């Protein structure tokens, strides 16, 4: 288990999200980083259909990561986190009377993975409803 840091990268002034991502890729390659493929992380938001004791319903976030394709994460707002089988989505469909998918709130981060010395670097474009919203960079100490 290594140390991981995820940060948001500002879009360069006068540039688009994609142009800024391309600039980051170019800088990594100039440093000697080697491209090792791609990744995708997505998050779907659900809200509880009923209320409990007059309290507003909490949100449930279901996340998938291409690096762990056989599992997913389910996180309650300000609550517990569950690591589940990838078929958890099927369960969410069966629970549609209790949880509704918040349409238009799917967030996705797609991009490229690089290896540089002892680090794994992932640069991704964050999108919501097919619209680019930002850039994410994850740097992780590489452990084998």
């Amino acid at each position: 288990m290594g140390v991981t840091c995820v940060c948001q990268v500002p879009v360069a002034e006068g540039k688009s999200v994609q142009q800024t991502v391309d600039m980051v890729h170019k800088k990594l390659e100039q440093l000697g980083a080697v491209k090792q493929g791609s990744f995708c992380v997505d998050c779907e938001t659900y809200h509880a259909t009923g209320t409990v004791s007059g309290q507003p319903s909490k949100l449930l976030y279901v996340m998938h990561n291409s690096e762990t394709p056989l599992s997913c994460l389910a996180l309650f707002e300000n609550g517990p986190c569950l690591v589940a089988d990838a078929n958890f989505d099927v369960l969410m469909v069966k629970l549609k009377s209790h949880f509704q998918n918040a349409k238009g709130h799917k967030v996705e981060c797609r991009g490229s993975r690089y290896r540089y010395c002892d680090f794994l670097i992932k640069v991704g474009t964050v999108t919501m409803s097919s619209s680019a919203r930002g850039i994410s960079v994850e740097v992780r100490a590489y452990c084998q």
Side-chain angles (χ1 to χ4, degrees):
M1 191 91 171
V3 175
T4 301
C5 177
V6 179
C7 59
Q8 182 178 352
V9 174
V11 176
E13 194 171 323
K15 303 285 184 187
S16 69
V17 170
Q18 189 57 50
Q19 288 171 323
T20 305
V21 167
D22 291 342
M23 286 174 28
V24 173
H25 287 176
K26 186 175 179 181
K27 287 179 182 179
L28 284 169
E29 290 167 2
Q30 286 174 342
L31 284 170
V34 177
K35 190 172 181 180
Q36 287 192 323
S38 60
F39 74 96
C40 177
V41 176
D42 68 61
C43 178
E44 291 196 64
T45 305
Y46 294 85
H47 58 85
T49 56
T51 58
V52 178
S53 306
Q55 295 178 357
S57 64
K58 288 193 174 189
L59 298 175
L60 171 66
Y61 304 99
V62 179
M63 301 176 69
H64 301 90
N65 186 339
S66 62
E67 295 194 354
T68 56
L70 299 178
S71 63
C72 69
L73 294 173
L75 298 96
F76 268 106
E77 181 179 23
N78 300 321
C81 174
L82 167 74
V83 178
D85 188 280
N87 290 332
F88 187 76
D89 294 326
V90 175
L91 179 62
M92 291 307 295
V93 170
K94 292 182 186 265
L95 292 173
K96 65 183 172 189
S97 61
H98 300 286
F99 291 98
Q100 291 291 320
N101 189 325
K103 300 290 184 206
H105 285 89
K106 183 173 182 175
V107 178
E108 192 173 77
C109 184
R110 289 182 176 272
S112 300
R113 294 169 35 113
Y114 288 88
R115 172 92 188 271
Y116 179 69
C117 298
D118 290 338
F119 297 96
L120 176 64
I121 304 163
K122 296 193 287 187
V123 180
T125 303
V126 179
T127 58
M128 184 173 180
S129 304
S130 307
S131 174
R133 299 294 179 136
I135 302 164
S136 171
V137 174
E138 176 183 338
V139 179
R140 182 181 339 162
Y142 190 80
C143 300
Q144 264 204 353

